[in-house]
Amino acid sequence: MRLQGLVGVFLMVLLLATVAQAAEVKDYSAAIRVFKSSDVVQPFFENSYGYVVFPLVGKAGVVVGGAFGIGQVYRNERVTGKAYLTKLSLGFQLGGQAFSEIIFFEDQRAFDEFTSGTFELDASASAVAITAGAQAQVGSSGTSVGASNGPTTGIQFAGNYVKGMAVFVHTKGGLMYELSVGGQVFSYEALGY
């Protein structure tokens, strides 16, 4: 039992270090380039109303887990504001992981819903991973998984929005086994021009 406690402390320290790194990200263009290099994701840049990108999301947990990331929201390739991603989860989970995430908005309704203040992805939202062997779970409940042969080859994916949103992740590192409840919650802060 003592080993589990030490592992839990280690993973929470890992999460806090990743959160500190996420808070320091200034250049979002590298993450955007990774997503644009995917044949699966590229059409969304051309056809979406807008998007939000999180260059670094850190996730860790031992039974109780959490995730955090800071992103930028774009409309017509211009930054409209900042977004903050948080997730708390309870259930069987073990490990830590770092990934990038992008959410495309199909139309103004979806964009406005996300930027209205606080927004939570529900169970019908799924993420498609664009890194070989990666797994992703997004939503208030349930599990969704996607995989590919790599960022440039993509996967066979219909490219449909669910409730006006399409979510993609790119795993940067780590390993996490998770079976939990809870969803990603986002808050939005408009730029004060």
Side-chain angles (χ1 to χ4, degrees), residues 52-65:
V52 58
V53 64
F54 297 91
L56 181 62
V57 177
K59 179 167 108 173
V62 176
V63 181
V64 175

Side-chain angles (χ1 to χ4, degrees), residues 24-165:
E24 293 178 17
V25 171
K26 303 284 188 239
D27 181 16
Y28 290 75
S29 60
I32 292 170
R33 275 193 307 274
V34 168
F35 287 110
K36 281 187 174 182
S37 71
S38 167
D39 293 339
V40 175
V41 180
Q42 179 58 42
F44 288 87
F45 282 100
E46 298 166 7
N47 300 316
S48 70
Y49 185 84
Y51 61 90
V52 58
V53 64
F54 297 91
L56 181 62
V57 177
K59 179 167 108 173
V62 176
V63 181
V64 175
F68 180 79
I70 299 174
Q72 286 188 159
V73 179
Y74 294 81
R75 171 74 186 111
N76 294 324
E77 296 303 318
R78 293 181 52 137
V79 177
T80 66
K82 286 217 172 282
Y84 301 89
L85 177 158
T86 56
K87 178 179 179 181
L88 294 175
S89 56
L90 179 62
F92 183 73
Q93 54 194 313
L94 177 64
Q97 189 174 41
F99 57 93
S100 297
E101 181 172 334
I102 192 165
I103 303 171
F104 291 95
F105 309 110
E106 182 177 26
D107 51 29
Q108 183 175 353
R109 181 209 51 83
F111 183 85
D112 290 347
E113 186 177 353
F114 184 89
T115 60
S116 66
T118 301
F119 175 80
E120 181 176 350
L121 285 175
D122 67 18
S124 64
S126 62
V128 175
I130 62 167
T131 303
Q135 296 184 24
Q137 176 189 354
V138 179
S140 299
S141 62
T143 303
S144 298
V145 179
S148 76
N149 293 328
T152 58
T153 58
I155 61 171
Q156 299 301 317
F157 175 64
N160 295 325
Y161 289 92
V162 176
K163 294 187 178 178
M165 297 184 194

